[in-house]
Amino acid sequence: AQSVSQHNHHVILSEAASLELGCNYSYGGTVNLFWYVQYPGQHLQLLLKYFSGDPLVKGIKGFEAEFIKSKFSFNLRKPSVQWSDTAEYFCAVLDGGYNKLIFGAGTRLAVHP
Amino acid sequence: KAGVTQTPRYLIKTRGQQVTLSCSPISGHRSVSWYQQTPGQGLQFLFEYFSETQRNKGNFPGRFSGRQFSNSRSEMNVSTLELGDSALYLCASSLMPGGIVGNTEAFFGQGTRLTVV
């Protein structure tokens, strides 16, 4: 069965630092990949998604992710974080022919001013 | 347009009781999925409905059930509540199921926080 691993459970950064959050999935083949963000007290929001095409995907709020098929990875990046990026970030993969998202455990990001 | 609406936002129930949660998807969306979010287990898939049919079910006991109505609104029910059922229950709506159209995006509601005491 498909699974998703997020390597960092807690990340603490200062404003303007660069961010990279790791995500690996287990199944090779065609995959649909997502990064969601959950700000404190708010609902899950889609940051970006990869379905096909250019492996470098740009999302909202300056986030981007790179799909590397050979490494089964879909890492999230942002060159300069802001205090408002403090949130929990989830990597997810769509499971086959169903509308079933398989989520990683999440990474809590705290950005200090 | 209005987003995914879940009601109620908060619930406190006693062990052994049952509970029904409601989800109204985005207008025009026909696929609804439910997830349970807990600090220990993270986000776990409960079930997916499309055209009033359950298409897929996660690894949860039979106490967890759901249904979808003709207007795509969905309800989930948990019977004989246990302390471990305390969680944030999230509903997500999509235009179509991923397997039919492919490449669909799920939009999440704010969730219902259920506390079982």
Side-chain angles (χ1 to χ4, degrees):
Chain A
Q2 181 71 271
S3 64
V4 177
S5 297
Q6 291 184 241
H7 314 300
N8 315 97
H9 294 295
H10 292 91
V11 173
I12 301 173
L13 294 172
S14 298
E15 275 193 318
S18 64
L19 170 72
E20 180 160 3
L21 301 182
C23 172
N24 286 90
Y25 59 95
S26 61
Y27 173 72
T30 302
V31 286
N32 293 344
L33 295 157
F34 307 81
W35 275 97
Y36 281 86
V37 61
Q38 191 172 34
Y39 298 103
Q42 295 190 28
H43 62 282
L44 275 168
Q45 300 173 41
L46 182 69
L47 270 179
L48 46 79
K49 59 191 176 188
Y50 173 79
F51 292 148
S52 63
D54 188 345
L56 185 60
V57 179
K58 294 196 183 299
I60 61 171
K61 305 185 180 187
F63 286 91
E64 65 178 31
E66 185 176 13
F67 169 59
I68 304 179
K69 189 172 182 178
S70 61
K71 294 184 178 180
F72 297 85
S73 71
F74 190 56
N75 293 353
L76 181 72
R77 300 194 293 247
K78 186 171 184 178
S80 176
V81 295
Q82 301 172 314
W83 176 79
S84 57
D85 293 324
T86 294
E88 190 160 16
Y89 294 80
F90 294 92
C91 181
V93 62
L94 195 65
D95 183 21
Y98 298 100
N99 227 3
K100 171 183 175 181
L101 287 166
I102 298 171
F103 286 90
T107 298
R108 287 186 183 272
L109 171 66
V111 180
H112 294 299
Chain B
K1 57 184 176 183
V4 179
T5 303
Q6 291 188 246
T7 56
R9 291 289 312 280
Y10 303 92
L11 265 179
I12 299 176
K13 290 286 188 178
T14 305
R15 271 183 303 173
Q17 287 187 311
Q18 75 164 19
V19 67
T20 299
L21 312 181
S22 179
C23 171
S24 293
I26 291 171
S27 177
H29 283 196
R30 296 171 60 194
S31 174
V32 173
S33 301
W34 288 88
Y35 295 82
Q36 182 196 63
Q37 185 176 18
T38 60
Q41 300 298 318
L43 280 150
Q44 293 192 296
F45 172 80
L46 278 158
F47 21 65
E48 177 205 358
Y49 286 88
F50 174 70
S51 290
E52 303 176 65
T53 301
Q54 186 181 91
R55 287 186 1 118
N56 198 8
K57 191 177 193 303
N59 190 24
F60 279 83
R63 300 184 296 105
F64 291 81
S65 63
R67 59 179 175 167
Q68 186 181 34
F69 302 95
S70 58
N71 61 358
S72 295
R73 190 178 70 85
S74 177
E75 289 180 347
M76 67 163 280
N77 185 278
V78 188
S79 62
T80 320
L81 284 165
E82 301 177 359
L83 294 178
D85 298 333
S86 295
L88 181 66
Y89 290 89
L90 296 171
C91 169
S93 82
S94 302
L95 191 61
M96 295 287 277
I100 294 179
V101 172
N103 308 335
T104 56
E105 175 183 334
F107 294 84
F108 284 82
Q110 290 202 283
T112 294
R113 180 148 321 263
L114 172 65
T115 302
V116 182
V117 297

